[in-house]
Amino acid sequence: MSIVVRPFRRDTSDDAGAKALEARASQHTHNVILSTLVKVHLQHLDSFDSKARKYEGSVVLLAIDTEVKGDGASDDGFVCGCICVGIKDVRLDGKIRKLGYLFDMRVHEDYQRRTIGSQLYKSAESATRDLGAEAIYLSVNSTNKKARSF
């Protein structure tokens, strides 16, 4: 296993690979109705990074296993993880501050507990800092036990 973390490339095979990861690694699989709605919604997305592009700035990174090709692969390997952070101005302590909002982070189940999530987060933190963000914040669903323990 050789993992590379790099920026998402729009209009390439990255889109299909990232969407395949999103469909496989949905946090809503415990709820059949919600899972079905999420999958239907995914089929209608313009591009994997469409939500990120709505922010004034964003960071979308993929973790790629360069040794695996095939289903869920981009041109340079298997998409085994992703992280998406939108940059926005937020009022905090009475001041407007530029922060990163981490709204999506996934690691394929077969790749979990191998530091890929940490690699993605550290890379995203550095990239958002380069875009002027002071910090990153996020919210996690109470039912997402794996994310809450990360």
Side-chain angles (χ1 to χ4, degrees):
M1 177 175 69
S2 179
I3 304 298
V4 173
V5 174
R6 63 159 175 77
F8 172 83
R9 298 181 299 227
R10 190 176 316 125
D11 300 324
T12 69
S13 61
D14 282 4
D15 194 55
K19 285 180 180 178
L21 172 68
E22 189 172 39
R24 280 190 309 272
S26 172
Q27 61 180 305
H28 302 294
T29 54
H30 64 279
N31 183 321
V32 176
I33 294 171
L34 190 53
S35 178
T36 302
L37 289 173
V38 168
K39 287 179 183 174
V40 168
H41 172 71
L42 290 176
Q43 293 172 2
H44 295 96
L45 283 179
D46 172 37
S47 172
F48 177 75
D49 68 337
S50 61
K51 183 175 178 179
R53 287 185 282 142
K54 293 179 181 179
Y55 290 89
E56 61 187 75
S58 63
V59 172
V60 179
L61 303 174
L62 300 180
I64 307 289
D65 184 343
T66 59
E67 296 175 0
V68 177
K69 307 290 185 199
D71 185 40
S74 69
D75 291 335
D76 52 350
F78 182 76
V79 178
C80 61
C82 68
I83 190 167
C84 303
V85 181
I87 310 295
K88 62 183 189 174
D89 292 330
V90 175
R91 181 170 295 281
L92 184 65
D93 294 329
K95 297 179 184 175
I96 300 295
R97 298 177 186 237
K98 188 172 289 224
L99 299 179
Y101 171 54
L102 194 166
F103 62 86
D104 192 1
M105 182 173 172
R106 301 166 192 271
V107 175
H108 188 284
E109 191 169 296
D110 294 344
Y111 289 82
Q112 291 177 5
R113 302 287 177 216
R114 298 182 185 188
T115 74
I116 294 168
S118 295
Q119 290 175 51
L120 283 163
Y121 181 80
K122 287 176 185 173
S123 296
E125 186 176 42
S126 176
T128 56
R129 193 175 299 118
D130 290 346
L131 292 174
E134 296 178 43
I136 294 177
Y137 72 99
L138 70 145
S139 64
V140 177
N141 295 338
S142 61
T143 58
N144 192 339
K145 294 176 184 175
K146 288 182 181 180
R148 293 177 66 82
S149 68
F150 177 73

